[in-house]
Amino acid sequence: MTYHVDTTLPDITCPADLKALPLEKLPALAEKIRSTLIETLSQTGGHLGPNLGVVELTIAMHRVFDTPKDKFVFDVAHQGYVHKMLTGRWDKIHTIRQYEGLNGFLLRSESEHDCYGAGHAGTALGAALGMASARDLKGGDEHVVCVSGDAAFTCGPVFEALNNISSHTKRLITVLNDNEWSIDRNVGAIAKYFNTIATHPGFTNLHDKAAKFVEFVLGGGARKLAERVENSAKGLLLPQSEGAHNRSVLFEEFGIRYYGPIDGHDIPLLIQTFEFLKNQNEPVILHILTEKGRGYKPALEDPGKFHGLGKYNIETGEVQATDKPTYSQIYARTVTDFAKEDPKIVAITAAMPGGTGLMAFKKEIPERYFDVGIAEEHAALFACGMATQGLRPFLTIYSTFMQRAIDMIIHDMAIQHLPVRLCMDRGGLSGDDGPTHHGLFDISYLRGIPGLVHMQPKDEDEFVDMLWTMANYDKGPIAIRYPRGNGPGVTPKAKPQLLEIGKAEVVADGADIALIALGDMFAIAEKAKVELEAKGLSVALINPRWIKPLDHQVIETYARKVKVVCTLEDHVLMNGFGCAVMELLSSAGITTPVVRVGWPDEFVEHGTPAILRQKHGLTVEATVEKVLSKLS
């Protein structure tokens, strides 16, 4: 099949254009949106699968409700591309995730129709409840609609919000978008519960039942029919008993009226249902069933891959192959091999076996692989419990998501000296995903924790050595950060070696300048060294390896010896690695000037790493300029 953008249908420049279309034109609009997304994202990359799954839902929402007065809160908001297209940004969709183009998530600063920005799962329902409660206090009449995927219901914050809804508002619409997938297939009791509802015999003809329900809901038989539809869903959480009054459904125990499940790709049915729900004076939840990747065969066949990906071939769905493994792939292969030799090693992730590479561990040692769903706080506690029993847990979570478990890292891990291995993928800039996904804060949120060890490798070989060191460290929590994508291409040695904790690597001696470059910034420092030496300067090059503890001896020795110290890090400068070096030198009474290269004290926008590094001064040229300015 050849995919192309269909330009024969009327353009949608605002929600009013959508409302003006005849109902019979909406399925064709849905197909135009899909073809546009498939064509566009093949060139830009992005969250294709999630957006293909919510086309009809988003059309129906904008048909019934009126943004920006009415509020749409999308959980994660990676499925917001269709919303962007229907709210005046269709002509800019080709700029999605491109520098100075549309963000891949919703942004309050991008459009008045984006009432809430997001990027992490589980935040939308609490925020939507806050909006609804504020509306009630102010005496407003706007609607608040929260769209949340079924995977988000594995998040603790969602249940905290559910616990408060009936107490804090009388009017809130929650759409449970059930496609059985987050990034990977959903796991746990909640996922099984939703599947039980969707496959219950009472819903074998769910389309017809739901259609009849909305058809007659305003008629004389509405009450009886509504009760019959609702009761067919009840009893799925607690056992059936002789009386209907003893039946139960999860959401109604929270005081939220449950409707569904209904076909999430039937536009007329969705419109009719929303028209009914907007008139209900009680919190409601609408359960819809959708297909992640609908309309594009490769995305339907591999939903995990097409959750979010780079450029791809439209005809085959294939992405461009790289000639060297990524850090994530090396991590998974290495830890899996270690685990085959050490039965104490277990792998834990929070719904991301694909992104972290742990699919290899899952396939080869399934009994010691644990996916806890989108529940980072629980993942940390789960790892702590395992560590108390003598196991060696490798807790593998993106740097930006590990933020959610900081209390557990301090209170449960560090205070008790539990040897949990924190493996933070995407440590550093995450490029096109933008500020919600950049891993630019983990040094700052970890380095103040007593007893915690933290490190970053300069290349793949050192990465494997660090993982081996972690595997053999049992004195307390130990963390490693590593970047997204490929390293410089150094092949790991056949047998890894243990590294001395807190011992830096002096790569080259020098008397004028000391470049102390952490992790993937080491390559920048190597080139800066060449340029500075071309100007007649003597340059020391140091690979610090350890963020905590720092190598006091090496850093102090060179700081006393040279005229300028320069630190480089793929992290914010505020409370980062360079700050740690400055604190060390201050405590030692060393006054040598320190130049720091890193990210500014702001939320860095989305764009390619090359563009963003150039803009914010994380380049060879900027490093040389900063160092020379201190020498002069």
Side-chain angles (χ1 to χ4, degrees), residues 586-621:
S586 176
S587 296
I590 299 172
T591 59
T592 304
V594 177
V595 170
R596 294 178 299 146
V597 176
W599 297 100
D601 182 25
E602 60 187 66
F603 290 110
V604 178
E605 66 271 53
H606 65 278
T608 65
I611 290 174
L612 296 177
R613 285 188 173 190
Q614 183 68 40
K615 176 180 178 179
H616 294 287
L618 281 78
T619 62
V620 174
E621 296 76 17

Side-chain angles (χ1 to χ4, degrees), residues 198-511:
T199 58
H200 189 271
F203 292 109
T204 53
N205 297 312
L206 65 91
H207 182 282
D208 291 339
K209 287 186 177 182
K212 291 177 181 177
F213 171 58
V214 294
E215 179 181 353
F216 293 109
V217 75
L218 298 180
R223 182 178 300 276
K224 290 183 179 179
L225 182 58
E227 289 175 355
R228 192 162 70 248
V229 173
E230 290 174 18
N231 286 338
S232 64
K234 295 180 180 180
L236 299 179
L237 183 62
L238 299 180
Q240 293 272 359
S241 64
E242 65 277 5
H245 62 280
N246 287 326
R247 296 177 180 177
S248 176
V249 69
L250 173 65
F251 302 109
E252 299 208 4
E253 294 299 312
F254 285 106
I256 306 167
R257 183 74 68 182
Y258 171 91
Y259 295 97
I262 67 170
D263 184 351
H265 299 295
D266 186 323
I267 295 177
L269 175 60
L270 287 167
I271 291 173
Q272 291 174 327
T273 305
F274 280 129
E275 290 286 3
F276 165 72
L277 293 178
K278 71 186 292 188
N279 292 311
Q280 303 310 297
N281 289 315
E282 62 180 341
V284 299
I285 187 161
L286 173 64
H287 186 176
I288 68 170
L289 303 180
T290 60
E291 287 184 314
K292 189 172 186 176
R294 185 180 178 89
Y296 184 46
K297 184 178 179 182
L300 283 171
E301 293 176 344
D302 193 348
K305 171 183 174 181
F306 282 87
H307 172 82
L309 74 169
K311 298 179 181 180
Y312 56 89
N313 180 287
I314 294 179
E315 304 303 324
T316 66
E318 293 300 316
V319 297
Q320 184 176 355
T322 59
D323 57 356
K324 52 187 177 181
T326 65
Y327 273 103
S328 301
Q329 291 168 334
I330 293 171
Y331 168 78
R333 181 70 270 150
T334 299
V335 174
T336 302
D337 289 343
F338 289 171
K340 289 179 178 179
E341 300 298 324
D342 183 353
K344 292 183 178 180
I345 291 178
V346 295
I348 304 167
T349 189
M352 302 203 69
T356 61
L358 279 180
M359 193 64 74
F361 197 112
K362 177 181 179 180
K363 290 179 179 178
E364 296 176 37
I365 319 177
E367 70 276 10
R368 283 188 274 143
Y369 165 81
F370 300 90
D371 183 349
V372 303
I374 307 175
E376 292 83 2
E377 300 95 326
H378 164 63
L381 294 172
F382 183 67
C384 286
M386 287 192 151
T388 67
Q389 301 304 302
L391 297 184
R392 291 172 166 169
F394 277 74
L395 179 58
T396 314
I397 296 175
Y398 287 6
S399 167
T400 185
F401 300 144
M402 193 73 82
Q403 295 164 182
R404 312 181 88 171
I406 186 63
D407 178 60
M408 291 72 190
I409 295 171
I410 296 172
H411 173 267
D412 298 273
M413 237 176 258
I415 290 178
Q416 299 187 94
H417 308 290
L418 296 177
V420 176
R421 291 132 184 96
L422 303 174
C423 303
M424 294 181 291
D425 202 323
R426 272 66 167 175
L429 194 76
S430 194
D432 301 330
D433 284 330
T436 59
H437 282 61
H438 293 323
L440 300 180
F441 304 102
D442 56 86
I443 293 177
S444 62
Y445 67 69
L446 290 181
R447 78 179 189 90
I449 302 175
L452 184 140
V453 175
H454 197 186
M455 56 188 154
Q456 183 174 358
K458 74 178 189 300
D459 58 38
E460 297 91 336
D461 178 54
E462 189 169 72
F463 182 40
V464 174
D465 287 343
M466 287 184 173
L467 293 174
W468 180 241
T469 302
M470 295 178 80
N472 290 278
Y473 183 81
D474 291 314
K475 295 180 181 179
I478 184 168
I480 186 169
R481 70 190 310 260
Y482 47 98
R484 179 180 184 177
N486 307 112
V490 178
T491 302
K493 64 181 76 68
K495 186 176 181 180
Q497 66 181 36
L498 288 175
L499 300 177
E500 181 181 347
I501 291 176
K503 185 64 177 177
E505 176 191 23
V506 178
V507 178
D509 190 21

